[in-house]
Amino acid sequence: MKRTVEIVLSVLGVITSLVMVGTGVVFLYLKNNEAFLQYLDSGWTASQNAYTLEQLGQAGTMFILPGIIGVVLGVCAVMMLKGNRSPKLAGWGLIIISVIISIVSVIGMIPAVFFIIAGIMALVRKAKG
């Protein structure tokens, strides 16, 4: 049985996880960017600057961590689904991935939606006998 839909949904989850990692890297880059720091100093108070930089650091971490988890485990699940090797294990893995990245970060629910749908489909679809 072809598992094209599950693979496509899993790849979409991996892509959105990669976007999350990229966004987190940008946030961490902005935290240390001299031009951005000068922009902050020009119009904001010192306490506002400190708060903004703290929030950028936290947001960067909260984007990167679930993004990396989603990319690594999502690619593993896609490899298991490809060729219909072990769809049940891949389905449970996708569901567990979605729960983990949703717990780590609220923004992780974006790729988790793709992973959970693919996981449920991998568990429910029966092979044509």
Side-chain angles (χ1 to χ4, degrees):
M1 165 183 276
K2 291 185 177 182
R3 299 253 178 208
T4 307
V5 176
E6 291 94 330
I7 292 172
V8 168
L9 286 170
S10 298
V11 168
L12 284 173
V14 169
I15 290 170
T16 55
S17 294
L18 279 172
V19 170
M20 285 178 55
V21 171
T23 305
V25 168
V26 168
F27 285 162
L28 292 178
Y29 171 75
L30 281 177
K31 182 180 173 189
N32 298 321
N33 187 353
E34 190 62 37
F36 183 70
L37 293 174
Q38 288 175 354
Y39 167 75
L40 288 179
D41 287 336
S42 68
W44 294 13
T45 64
S47 64
Q48 289 174 327
N49 290 347
Y51 179 75
T52 301
L53 293 176
E54 177 186 340
Q55 291 300 312
L56 279 175
Q58 289 178 357
T61 303
M62 295 312 285
F63 273 69
I64 291 175
L65 184 62
I68 290 174
I69 292 170
V71 168
V72 171
L73 297 178
V75 168
C76 292
V78 168
M79 293 302 152
M80 282 190 264
L81 284 171
K82 194 168 185 164
N84 205 17
R85 286 187 230 157
S86 54
K88 299 294 182 199
L89 180 63
W92 282 112
L94 286 167
I95 291 172
I96 291 170
I97 293 168
S98 65
V99 169
I100 290 172
I101 63 176
S102 295
I103 289 173
V104 172
S105 174
V106 174
I107 206 73
M109 288 192 183
I110 296 169
V113 169
F114 293 115
F115 289 141
I116 195 101
I117 293 170
I120 291 171
M121 286 182 69
L123 289 175
V124 172
R125 286 179 91 184
K126 302 286 183 200
K128 294 179 184 176

